[in-house]
Amino acid sequence: MPQVIHISSQGRGNSPELVILAKREAGLRARSAGVASAAGADTTSLSSLLSSHGAVMHPLFGLSEDRIQAHVEAFIEPLQRDAIPNTQPVLDLPLFYRIAAAEDQLDRLASELLAHDLIEAAYVKPAGAPPTAAGAQLSQRMNDMQPDVGDPPAVTPNFVASQGYLAATPGGIDAPFAWTVPGGGGSGVKIIDCEWGWRFTHEDLLQNQGGVVAGTSTTARQRDIDHGTAVIGVISGDRNPIGITGIAPDATISASSFDDQSSPQAIKAAADKLSAGDIILLEIHRPGPNTPNPPQGQLGFIAIEWWPDDFAAIRYAVLKGIIVVEAAGNGFQNLDDPIYSTRPAGFPVNWTNPFNTSNPSSGAVVVGAGAPPPGTHGRDHGPDRSRLDFSNYGARVDGQGWGEEVTTTGYGDLQGGSNQDLWYTNRFNGTSSASPVVVGALAATQGVLRARGHRRLNSASARLLVRACGSPQQDAPGRPASQRIGTRPNLRELIPEAARYQSLSADYDGDRRAEILITSPWGMGILEQAGSSMGAPTMAPNGTRFGGW
């Protein structure tokens, strides 16, 4: 008789998980009474295997298989109508399951499940963590700032002058330019940060905040609370005379927690709260195949899209038209290393390495960490926009943000005291700090497009623009620009480029045929098909003419 082990049915992003992918023809259904099959397959041996380990099978995405399938099918037609290059339909979400079992049983159970004829894949996914790796010396932890024990002043000073990432290019991203453009503060844009903890009661995070909308924020781990608080401050710190100001202070920011949800479940929950053009931020990485044993800090940690279930969750969000921004990770890794193309034994046989840009892509915007201008806060991390040593790099990385010296909410080393709602730091770092810089730039851009009535960017177009518009990466000794982390966003360039050649299709003249509304720096017009060419029955040019269609 197996030992009875009481295990939560909820996955957690900071615990190892056994994930399986069922064969489609098996038609598996996880029920409270056990495993069944909608296709009539014999599940007796599978149920016995699970029972022998005191294990229970749960749909990975929380809902029943049929409900998950209904969610997925709602997006097949949009995918076919507005295809995203180099992606595939996300029809496999209902086939993923999480196996709740004692942690010391997971590896053995994975091997036994992989041999079962109803199971396509079975693998133990290592615990995730916020990207808070060591710096050049692996013994030195990042984001371990300690709060100042002294009492803060009666009124918090204004720290905006310390927020160099807001400044004009090339040192910053030129957020003040965006604020002069209608919508450039991110108005109308919703953002969900996925990680472990936050302090939404902070004095500088009271406006345009949606709180935790999926899962529950941790109350036990102060570093995780400070981490999330710092991230959302970079993006949407309030417009007021005190403290900091976020890059997109008019955007609405919320959170989905990995503390009591698995990472794919938290991502899907966030996607289901958002609409096309909104943004999800993934502040998580996990140990990959180059991670040493025993571990050395977060050496070898990589972006989570490498794991099939996280990849599927990201694609689900991307195919809904949501921009997903993903930390590249602080693992000191070359993501072009051939080791990342070696399929782990338990992965699906059709798995391909998502870091290889020739393979199907998750569609997420992947962000590396670059150095701020030398002398920022009296410190020097190398040439401006050069890759910081800990930052993962490679062809898959789309762009960079400040990876050191980021002034924001939380931690308390810049302003501390006993009240955490008054805490600030000027040392937030890692791909943790870089990723919200890119999110803020994209939110500002989306706000402008929305204010102008343009179609907002999806993840694919956001990736193209992040790669094309910005201040270029620089060489550093031992870290040449060929170790790609990409450009730092330049809003003075990014916003006009995003606004060019936006088009919307609809039946504008009532003839039951779709026309295309074109807007550009030269004016606007309606295009319609006329035989084998396009005609322009309506034009409103700004002193020039449309032509060449």
Side-chain angles (χ1 to χ4, degrees):
M1 190 75 174
Q3 179 185 5
V4 176
I5 303 172
H6 297 285
I7 300 171
S8 170
S9 63
Q10 297 296 314
R12 295 177 59 144
N14 57 350
S15 301
E17 289 185 287
L18 171 50
V19 177
I20 66 171
L21 181 69
K23 292 182 177 178
R24 185 175 301 279
E25 61 270 21
L28 295 187
R29 297 292 185 271
R31 301 287 184 255
S32 56
V35 182
S37 169
D42 185 356
T43 61
T44 304
S45 60
L46 179 58
S47 296
S48 296
L49 192 164
L50 294 170
S51 178
S52 69
H53 289 273
V56 181
M57 190 168 98
H58 302 279
L60 183 63
F61 292 93
L63 304 173
S64 71
E65 296 89 343
D66 294 328
R67 284 185 177 272
I68 298 169
Q69 183 63 34
H71 282 199
V72 170
E73 289 178 351
F75 304 108
I76 296 175
E77 182 180 349
L79 173 61
Q80 293 172 338
R81 184 176 63 244
D82 189 18
I84 298 173
N86 209 23
T87 62
Q88 298 172 335
V90 285
L91 301 181
D92 49 1
L93 264 65
L95 306 180
F96 280 105
Y97 295 87
R98 187 182 70 86
I99 306 301
E103 190 170 323
D104 61 1
Q105 296 286 310
L106 296 183
D107 289 327
R108 179 182 172 188
L109 184 51
S111 297
E112 294 179 17
L113 285 166
L114 188 60
H116 197 280
D117 58 5
L118 299 181
I119 303 302
E120 176 71 27
Y123 52 94
V124 177
K125 188 170 69 169
T132 53
Q137 302 298 320
L138 286 171
S139 61
Q140 296 176 348
R141 294 180 64 87
M142 294 173 64
N143 293 323
D144 63 348
M145 297 79 78
Q146 298 301 309
D148 184 345
V149 297
D151 291 333
V155 177
T156 297
N158 189 306
F159 298 127
V160 171
S162 293
Q163 291 180 265
Y165 56 93
L166 299 177
T169 58
I173 66 169
D174 211 346
F177 164 76
W179 301 337
T180 68
V181 182
S187 57
V189 181
K190 294 181 179 178
I191 303 163
I192 294 184
D193 176 35
C194 296
E195 50 182 297
W196 282 265
W198 308 264
R199 196 168 185 87
F200 279 100
T201 55
H202 192 283
E203 66 168 356
D204 230 350
L205 299 172
L206 301 177
Q207 304 167 10
N208 304 318
Q209 311 300 332
V212 182
V213 296
T216 306
S217 174
T218 183
T219 57
R221 297 183 303 280
Q222 184 62 47
R223 289 187 71 206
D224 290 350
I225 296 170
D226 280 325
H227 189 279
T229 303
V231 166
I232 61 177
V234 172
I235 300 168
S236 67
D238 294 345
R239 289 184 192 268
N240 56 37
I242 65 168
I244 54 98
T245 299
I247 298 168
D250 300 329
T252 299
I253 195 160
S254 306
S256 181
S257 178
F258 297 140
D259 196 55
D260 54 356
Q261 300 180 103
S262 66
S263 51
Q265 186 177 2
I267 294 166
K268 183 181 183 296
D272 288 339
K273 300 284 186 182
L274 299 176
S275 302
D278 292 330
I279 303 173
I280 291 174
L281 172 58
L282 304 181
E283 284 280 345
I284 179 175
H285 62 179
R286 61 176 88 252
N290 265 343
T291 301
N293 187 15
Q296 300 177 38
Q298 293 183 338
L299 178 63
F301 280 46
I302 57 175
I304 65 169
E305 65 176 46
W306 195 74
W307 284 268
D309 54 311
D310 289 314
F311 181 89
I314 294 169
R315 283 199 307 177
Y316 174 83
V318 166
L319 293 175
K320 288 192 69 176
I322 296 163
I323 297 175
V324 178
V325 177
E326 179 184 12
N330 295 355
F332 297 78
Q333 294 300 294
N334 174 8
L335 300 182
D336 296 330
D337 189 319
I339 194 171
Y340 295 113
S341 292
T342 302
R343 182 177 66 87
F347 278 19
V349 294
N350 63 348
W351 175 86
T352 58
N353 172 19
F355 299 153
N356 184 333
T357 55
S358 297
N359 292 334
S361 172
S362 72
V365 180
V366 177
V367 179
T376 301
H377 305 152
R379 290 179 279 268
D380 186 347
H381 301 277
D384 184 28
R385 305 185 310 283
S386 61
R387 183 181 71 85
L388 292 166
D389 64 339
F390 57 80
S391 179
N392 293 343
Y393 62 93
R396 179 65 183 89
V397 183
D398 296 302
Q400 63 164 292
W402 275 33
E404 291 282 1
E405 308 298 339
V406 170
T407 300
T408 183
T409 44
Y411 291 102
D413 55 294
L414 178 59
Q415 177 173 288
S418 59
N419 184 350
Q420 295 182 30
D421 288 337
L422 308 181
W423 283 7
Y424 295 83
T425 181
N426 62 3
R427 293 178 54 205
F428 190 43
N429 52 24
T431 53
S432 293
S433 64
S435 298
V437 170
V438 174
V439 168
L442 289 171
T445 303
Q446 296 288 67
V448 172
L449 296 178
R450 180 179 182 275
R452 294 182 180 182
H454 290 180
R455 177 181 293 177
R456 295 190 293 175
L457 304 175
N458 60 21
S459 219
S461 53
R463 285 185 66 199
L464 291 173
L465 286 168
V466 166
R467 284 174 172 258
C469 303
S471 304
Q473 181 180 347
Q474 302 296 303
D475 291 326
R479 302 189 301 278
S482 58
Q483 296 178 347
R484 179 185 170 84
I485 58 170
T487 61
R488 176 185 295 158
N490 174 357
L491 282 167
R492 193 176 291 268
E493 181 182 0
L494 182 61
I495 288 173
E497 191 65 27
R500 286 190 175 95
Y501 306 113
Q502 293 290 319
S503 66
L504 296 170
S505 61
D507 180 10
Y508 291 102
D509 59 8
D511 66 354
R512 298 187 179 182
R513 299 174 61 194
E515 293 81 38
I516 301 174
L517 171 66
I518 296 288
T519 65
S520 82
W522 296 279
M524 62 184 296
I526 299 290
L527 301 182
E528 67 179 8
Q529 187 171 0
S532 60
S533 63
M534 299 293 289
T538 302
M539 293 189 296
N542 295 327
T544 62
R545 292 180 57 84
F546 287 92
W549 302 98

